[in-house]
Amino acid sequence: MDATIGRIGFIGIGSMGWPMARRLVEAGFSVTVQDAVPGRAADFARRHGGTASENAAQGAEAVITMLPTSRDVAAALAAIRPALQRGAVVIEMSSGEPSATRALAADLSALGVAMVDAPVSGGVARAETGELAIMTGGEAAALDRVDPLLRAMGTTITRCGDIGAGQAMKALNNLVSAAGFLVSVEALLIGSRFGLDPAVMVDVLNASTGMNNSTQRKLKQFVLSRKFNSGFGLDLMVKDLSIAMQVGRETSTPAPLAAQTRELWAAAAALLGPGQDHTAAARFSEALAAGQISEQKG
Ligand code: NAD
């Protein structure tokens, strides 16, 4: 059997899936896109090529899922199941729950369908340029087969272990990122009250040991600008932190700072309401401090 993958079904062309699927089309793969929002897949095909379908598994050698939650992935896979062909590979690229993904993989293996997880980091900006960091879980043979697809979307591809390992890694990455964001915002709030210019603070942090992804790519761009439009939802960040805590519970790992971080992000989501960008969590910290980062005293 020829193991080369040419035909891909891509389910979930949202903020991330859209640019990722576009990269695959541009790399020369035959891509069929599917999305729950009516007209979205057809819109993609009109703009970038490929085909729109209500069952992207039809004729596909690989099916990619890029959906909000593992629950959405389970629903999507149940719907396309009759069209999944034996020998196909499902590449679950959402930031999902490792235990749920393992259960789905076991179910698919009964159909002769392999599954790997390959969640991503880098946000919409790096999805656009094909420079995502991709962390994978699954068997080497299946990962070898899908490698050319992953390389069309990402530049750093790291094998983390068995199925679910990529998703555990992804949740833990976002835990570190989320804690870094909130503490950076708190530092800007304290500094603003002291009389420091927040833009200067970001410059100093980026030249110093306090530098992190939020100081480099989020604070000026989305918080100080008050744009709050990074393209990564606040609800999705809370979901990722809940997954990190789930992995923590499953491994009996005491993690009080991680728990506090999840609680703060969940409180921000509750206070700010649905449909917010994750960078808007800065407004939650501002509400706690009864102030705004940009305000200058004295
Ligand atoms: P999104 O909400 O923008 O897009 C999700 C898409 O899936 C939507 O277009 C929606 O209509 C579609 N969808 C939902 N259920 C469906 C179903 N059953 N069948 C077909 N389509 C369905 O979400 P996103 O920001 O693209 O995130 C997707 C995943 O990637 C999430 O797990 C998220 O945590 C992760 N992620 C996001 C970012 C980011 O910066 N946005 C970065 C890294 C990882």
Side-chain angles (χ1 to χ4, degrees):
M1 188 184 75
D2 180 9
T4 308
I5 293 171
R7 292 190 304 269
I8 303 168
F10 200 116
I11 307 177
I13 43 170
S15 303
M16 293 296 285
W18 184 293
M20 290 162 66
R22 182 177 56 75
R23 295 284 313 175
L24 290 167
V25 172
E26 287 168 1
F29 293 100
S30 165
V31 181
T32 300
V33 288
Q34 175 184 338
D35 196 278
V37 173
R40 192 164 169 85
D43 192 23
F44 177 97
R46 209 168 26 249
R47 290 205 218 172
H48 305 303
T51 312
S53 170
E54 289 184 1
N55 190 336
Q58 207 82 50
E61 291 140 347
V63 173
I64 295 177
T65 45
M66 191 56 176
L67 301 169
T69 67
S70 287
R71 186 184 290 236
D72 299 313
V73 174
L77 290 179
I80 63 162
R81 189 183 168 94
L84 270 175
Q85 61 186 40
R86 200 171 180 79
V89 188
V90 170
I91 312 170
E92 157 54 336
M93 300 194 76
S94 328
S95 307
E97 298 166 37
S99 52
T101 301
R102 283 182 182 154
L104 289 171
D107 178 52
L108 290 175
S109 89
L111 295 179
V113 173
M115 185 175 193
V116 298
D117 60 309
V120 307
S121 181
V124 174
R126 281 166 63 186
E128 297 277 3
T129 57
E131 294 176 300
L132 290 168
I134 303 180
M135 46 218 98
T136 67
E139 289 182 6
L143 288 170
D144 288 344
R145 272 190 82 198
V146 304
D147 196 60
L149 285 66
L150 301 184
R151 292 200 182 276
M153 296 179 277
T155 42
T156 311
I157 296 154
T158 309
R159 296 188 183 190
C160 298
D162 294 338
I163 182 81
Q167 290 181 331
M169 182 61 238
K170 169 64 189 175
L172 295 172
N173 173 76
N174 278 22
L175 169 62
V176 174
S177 173
F181 179 86
L182 278 193
V183 80
S184 301
V185 166
E186 288 185 3
L188 294 192
L189 276 163
I190 297 168
S192 294
R193 288 253 169 100
F194 182 81
L196 297 173
D197 180 333
V200 172
M201 283 187 75
V202 175
D203 290 339
V204 175
L205 287 167
N206 283 335
S208 310
T209 52
M211 175 181 66
N212 61 56
N213 183 62
S214 294
T215 64
Q216 288 182 312
R217 296 174 196 262
K218 296 184 185 176
L219 294 180
K220 279 193 180 177
Q221 295 84 341
F222 305 117
V223 177
L224 297 188
S225 71
R226 314 303 290 179
K227 288 184 179 163
F228 303 120
N229 63 347
S230 77
F232 179 46
L234 177 52
D235 53 342
L236 293 177
M237 180 64 104
V238 175
K239 176 257 307 175
D240 290 342
L241 295 171
S242 301
I243 295 171
M245 292 313 297
Q246 183 183 335
V247 175
R249 278 192 304 277
E250 286 168 2
T251 53
S252 305
T253 311
L257 184 56
Q260 177 84 331
T261 301
R262 197 215 82 94
E263 289 306 307
L264 285 166
W265 281 88
L271 184 90
L272 297 170
Q276 298 285 333
D277 191 79
H278 81 288
T279 56
R283 291 173 43 220
F284 170 74
S285 300
E286 289 178 334
L288 290 180
Q292 192 171 307
I293 287 168
S294 52
E295 91 185 1
Q296 294 285 305
K297 299 271 177 190

